[in-house]
Amino acid sequence: MPLPSPLSEPALLLDEVRVRRNLDRMTRRAAAAGVRLRPHFKTHQSHAVGRWFREAGVEAITVSSLAMAEYFVDDGWHDITLAFPFHPGMQGRVEALAQRAAFGIVLADAAALEGVRFSAPLDVWLKIDVGSHRTGLDPDDVDGLRALAASVAGRGDVRLRGLLAHAGHSYAARDTGEILAVHEQTLMLLGRLREDLAGCGPLEISVGDTPTCSIAESFSGASEIRPGNFAFYDLMQWQIGSCDAEDIAVAMACPVVARHPARGELVVHGGAVHFSKDALALDGERVFGLAVNPAPDGWGELQRDVRLVRLSQEHGIVSAPADVIARTRPGDPLLFLPVHSCLTADAMGRYRTLAGESIGMMGRGHRAS
Amino acid sequence: MPLPSPLSEPALLLDEVRVRRNLDRMTRRAAAAGVRLRPHFKTHQSHAVGRWFREAGVEAITVSSLAMAEYFVDDGWHDITLAFPFHPGMQGRVEALAQRAAFGIVLADAAALEGVRFSAPLDVWLKIDVGSHRTGLDPDDVDGLRALAASVAGRGDVRLRGLLAHAGHSYAARDTGEILAVHEQTLMLLGRLREDLAGCGPLEISVGDTPTCSIAESFSGASEIRPGNFAFYDLMQWQIGSCDAEDIAVAMACPVVARHPARGELVVHGGAVHFSKDALALDGERVFGLAVNPAPDGWGELQRDVRLVRLSQEHGIVSAPADVIARTRPGDPLLFLPVHSCLTADAMGRYRTLAGESIGMMGRGHRAS
């Protein structure tokens, strides 16, 4: 694989073949299950990668911030759900977006639409807490939900589109059986709730985290799925069984800067501002990344015994066997699969394809108001 | 304080008065101790904030990456140390920098300069591991250090400038007494080592993490200090005693998006891509930020019982007392002091001053090769 030469600083490598393969698998899975694929673009945050989705037939997308919605509308996306709770401070920017695209917002607090009137039509999804307890309306409060649904359905400025959930607790699963159990509970709960709210008009059901969407064959009752991470996958998904290691489509190339054989460690350029600080527990150790060997067409198998074990702002501390340390020189590249590819991509702001092309992302500055 | 109105998304507020006060205190401290202040600019990463340092008389700076060096050379800084270990892949960019500024690099591996010849003159600092065990040469290996120092001193293309250390283990201190103990051990060790290397010419000593530089009165034997975080400080520094809460110069304004009174929690827009995932342990709980009350001239006292306790990519979960939750509405702003201001600033990429001015930072894209 042609790494940047010389590798003066960390580079986030993107394997387009793996991304397109992951994408192809998910589009076929959605088609087979008869659900719309509305992928979450917070993972890649890139016009260029988004176009690969368009080429695969994707027309509707999910984003997690106003800035991300604006960025993708600028590239011609015309059916967007902002799957982050609406609050009144968003009104002006949401209206501007709704004039440029079919736009959906999510309601996670009954008071969030109070005092708000939209001048452009848009969809409202009720966010239901199906067990992750991050946010969402309480599914057991059927009376409250019925009142809220009726109130939204009765407004002239929005359309009550349906029930939306993110089963984030699937990330706590430790095998595919546990993932499927979360999936089935989620669909059962939302299906029952839709019956309870039958008087408020036809309601769609939108679900979709990467673990359940990667494993489940059926999405009974749902009309769309919104996985995001599956485009790249990462070690967290590999650990819970959503993907194989060879599905992971991003790797960080880090130059070695120092060797500490007595400690059994190498130091690389690659820290918290590159990987983010998300870690996973592996063999009882906190791990921020696992090495892979470079290969002619990208990278090969996991090297489980070469692992990022500590990060500071720019430094990564790597524990490695003595023979690996002995043959390593300062400036040599090491490749690491990230623990959480969404945060790693967000931190880096740029990809390098295996063909050596640089691919841009939404800018950080874009985020600020 | 004039917050962005409406507050559609998180904004990182910067209190210029506090920054200038922190800066003034550190410049006076350095002057009193008779050491050069070479502040680390990785904390703010901003031309505009860097100019405040210049106005305070600072002429020499520290950076942690090539991209950061290039960014600050572009704004006229002409005396820069790259306090991150040199490796051969850096050669071309380092040479280009050394043609534009007095430039220093750091050696943390005896082999890092093998095969490298510079066409522009520059300084080399030997990085000594004074106890943080992140990286640095072993101070007990006096023979090895003497051989390395002689080899560097004998090269025609670089000047052996001195010994450089970062006592990062001062961050593990829990009070100022422990910070001072780390400081004194560091200076004693480096002073003894300089005597051991007396045959290699006059050597400077460069030290400086924010905890020791904020507490110590004397820097006996050192010629310069390199603190960075002190410009903003943060909850980590507050917890170990480097600063008071009112010295912390950045706060994140986050709109509330949902209330969960039964859980005793609020949800705000403000997640890992805004704060970073660095946490501290407070009262036995993992905390990602503590609230402060808005005040006419910025913000006031810490609200220790309103705290960020979980973060996902965009969501922040806040535990708060019932009365705070009861009077909060979606869209209301909450202000949080960050745990680690360097990573928070890096994640945000932009500041908003209390006067409402937007201040840019080095771009993410700038980082990629």
Side-chain angles (χ1 to χ4, degrees):
Chain A
M1 175 192 29
L3 280 172
S5 179
L7 183 67
S8 60
E9 63 187 344
L12 184 59
L13 306 177
L14 178 61
D15 185 333
E16 179 177 343
V17 171
R18 293 187 186 207
V19 176
R20 289 192 188 264
R21 195 174 65 202
N22 293 339
L23 186 49
D24 181 57
R25 197 185 300 122
M26 194 61 81
T27 51
R28 281 188 286 112
R29 177 179 283 278
V35 292
R36 179 189 315 123
L37 176 61
R38 184 189 287 279
H40 206 313
F41 274 19
K42 74 173 182 170
T43 302
H44 61 79
Q45 297 183 44
S46 163
H47 283 176
V49 179
R51 288 174 199 168
W52 303 347
F53 283 68
R54 200 179 275 147
E55 288 165 26
V58 169
E59 296 190 342
I61 66 171
T62 307
V63 298
S64 59
S65 70
L66 288 166
M68 212 181 290
E70 290 155 356
Y71 173 79
F72 284 111
V73 165
D74 286 345
D75 202 43
W77 290 93
H78 48 68
D79 186 352
I80 300 181
T81 301
L82 173 50
F84 184 83
F86 175 84
H87 63 84
M90 289 183 175
Q91 177 170 356
R93 290 170 74 181
V94 163
E95 280 180 341
L97 284 161
Q99 277 157 358
R100 300 175 66 197
F103 201 73
I105 60 171
V106 159
L107 203 58
D109 187 300
L113 282 178
E114 279 176 14
V116 172
R117 300 299 297 180
F118 292 106
S119 61
L122 45 86
D123 289 343
V124 171
W125 296 85
L126 301 185
K127 172 79 185 286
I128 307 299
D129 181 1
V130 293
S132 76
H133 305 319
R134 183 171 69 179
T135 191
L137 302 158
D138 179 0
D140 294 331
D141 178 19
V142 176
D143 288 343
L145 282 170
R146 207 178 273 133
L148 178 62
S151 134
V152 173
R155 292 172 66 113
D157 57 341
V158 298
R159 174 171 66 141
L160 178 61
R161 179 83 180 263
L163 308 176
L164 179 144
H166 172 71
H169 51 312
S170 68
Y171 283 73
R174 282 294 159 263
D175 59 48
T176 55
E178 285 183 37
I179 293 173
L180 284 175
V182 166
H183 177 62
E184 279 154 26
Q185 285 156 14
T186 298
L187 288 175
M188 202 156 58
L189 185 156
L190 292 171
R192 201 172 52 222
L193 201 53
R194 174 161 56 185
E195 287 174 27
D196 290 333
L197 304 179
C200 302
L203 296 179
E204 288 190 41
I205 287 177
S206 173
V207 293
D209 48 293
T210 283
T212 58
C213 292
S214 300
I215 301 297
E217 299 294 335
S218 146
F219 299 86
S220 161
S223 58
E224 67 172 29
I225 58 174
R226 307 184 322 278
N229 180 280
F230 76 95
F232 295 167
Y233 286 118
D234 52 33
L235 292 177
M236 213 182 280
Q237 299 288 345
W238 163 77
Q239 189 177 48
I240 65 181
S242 308
C243 69
D244 294 327
E246 52 265 37
D247 297 324
I248 300 176
V250 285
M252 190 85 77
C254 298
V256 171
V257 303
R259 301 157 302 164
H260 294 276
R263 280 167 23 199
E265 292 179 338
L266 298 165
V267 181
V268 296
H269 191 190
V273 297
H274 308 99
F275 284 96
S276 97
K277 281 235 172 162
D278 257 3
L280 53 78
L282 192 69
D283 314 325
E285 192 173 37
R286 265 188 109 202
V287 169
F288 298 90
L290 289 178
V292 283
N293 280 333
D297 60 342
W299 57 84
E301 285 192 5
L302 269 183
Q303 304 299 111
R304 287 184 63 133
D305 52 357
V306 179
R307 43 178 75 177
L308 274 169
V309 292
R310 297 194 300 287
L311 297 181
S312 55
Q313 186 161 345
E314 300 273 352
H315 299 72
I317 311 295
V318 180
S319 84
D323 62 313
V324 171
I325 297 175
R327 64 169 180 263
T328 301
R329 312 291 298 171
D332 285 355
L334 288 182
L335 267 56
F336 293 94
L337 302 185
V339 167
H340 188 171
S341 60
C342 309
L343 294 188
T344 301
D346 182 81
M348 289 297 288
R350 183 163 293 278
Y351 307 100
R352 185 188 164 92
T353 68
L354 300 184
E357 187 195 357
S358 179
I359 290 188
M361 287 173 63
M362 181 179 134
R364 272 191 310 189
H366 200 69
R367 180 182 298 141
S369 52
Chain B
M1 175 191 30
L3 279 173
S5 179
L7 183 67
S8 61
E9 62 189 344
L12 184 58
L13 306 177
L14 179 61
D15 185 333
E16 180 177 341
V17 171
R18 293 188 186 205
V19 176
R20 290 192 186 264
R21 195 173 63 201
N22 294 339
L23 187 48
D24 180 57
R25 198 185 300 122
M26 194 60 81
T27 52
R28 282 189 286 111
R29 178 179 282 277
V35 292
R36 179 190 314 124
L37 176 62
R38 184 189 286 280
H40 207 314
F41 274 18
K42 74 172 181 170
T43 302
H44 60 79
Q45 297 183 44
S46 162
H47 283 175
V49 178
R51 288 174 200 167
W52 303 347
F53 283 68
R54 200 179 274 148
E55 288 164 25
V58 170
E59 295 190 343
I61 66 170
T62 307
V63 298
S64 59
S65 70
L66 289 166
M68 213 182 289
E70 290 155 356
Y71 173 80
F72 283 112
V73 165
D74 286 347
D75 203 43
W77 290 94
H78 49 67
D79 185 352
I80 301 182
T81 301
L82 172 50
F84 183 83
F86 175 83
H87 63 84
M90 290 183 175
Q91 178 172 353
R93 291 171 73 181
V94 163
E95 280 180 340
L97 285 160
Q99 278 158 357
R100 300 176 66 198
F103 201 72
I105 60 170
V106 159
L107 202 59
D109 187 301
L113 282 178
E114 279 175 15
V116 173
R117 300 300 298 180
F118 293 106
S119 62
L122 46 85
D123 289 343
V124 171
W125 296 86
L126 301 186
K127 172 78 186 284
I128 307 299
D129 181 2
V130 293
S132 76
H133 305 320
R134 183 172 68 180
T135 191
L137 302 158
D138 178 1
D140 294 331
D141 178 18
V142 176
D143 289 343
L145 282 170
R146 207 178 273 132
L148 178 62
S151 135
V152 174
R155 293 172 66 114
D157 57 340
V158 299
R159 173 171 67 141
L160 178 61
R161 179 84 179 263
L163 308 176
L164 179 144
H166 173 71
H169 50 314
S170 68
Y171 283 73
R174 281 296 158 262
D175 58 49
T176 56
E178 285 182 37
I179 293 173
L180 283 176
V182 166
H183 177 61
E184 279 154 25
Q185 285 155 14
T186 298
L187 287 175
M188 202 154 60
L189 185 157
L190 292 172
R192 202 170 51 219
L193 200 54
R194 173 159 58 182
E195 286 175 27
D196 291 332
L197 303 180
C200 303
L203 295 180
E204 288 191 40
I205 286 177
S206 173
V207 293
D209 48 292
T210 284
T212 60
C213 292
S214 300
I215 300 298
E217 298 294 335
S218 147
F219 300 86
S220 162
S223 58
E224 68 172 28
I225 58 174
R226 309 184 320 280
N229 180 281
F230 77 95
F232 295 168
Y233 286 116
D234 52 34
L235 292 177
M236 213 181 282
Q237 299 289 346
W238 163 77
Q239 189 178 48
I240 64 181
S242 308
C243 70
D244 293 327
E246 51 267 33
D247 298 324
I248 300 176
V250 285
M252 190 85 77
C254 299
V256 170
V257 302
R259 302 157 300 164
H260 294 277
R263 281 166 23 197
E265 293 179 338
L266 297 165
V267 181
V268 297
H269 191 189
V273 297
H274 308 99
F275 284 96
S276 96
K277 280 234 172 162
D278 257 3
L280 53 79
L282 192 69
D283 314 323
E285 191 172 37
R286 264 188 111 202
V287 169
F288 297 89
L290 289 178
V292 283
N293 279 332
D297 60 343
W299 55 85
E301 286 192 4
L302 270 183
Q303 304 298 110
R304 287 182 64 130
D305 53 356
V306 179
R307 44 179 73 179
L308 275 168
V309 292
R310 295 194 302 284
L311 297 181
S312 56
Q313 185 161 346
E314 301 272 353
H315 298 72
I317 311 296
V318 179
S319 84
D323 62 313
V324 171
I325 297 175
R327 64 170 180 261
T328 300
R329 311 290 298 171
D332 285 355
L334 287 182
L335 267 56
F336 294 94
L337 301 184
V339 167
H340 188 170
S341 60
C342 309
L343 294 188
T344 301
D346 182 82
M348 289 297 288
R350 186 162 291 278
Y351 307 100
R352 185 188 164 94
T353 68
L354 300 184
E357 187 195 357
S358 179
I359 289 189
M361 287 174 63
M362 179 178 136
R364 271 192 311 188
H366 200 69
R367 181 181 298 142
S369 52

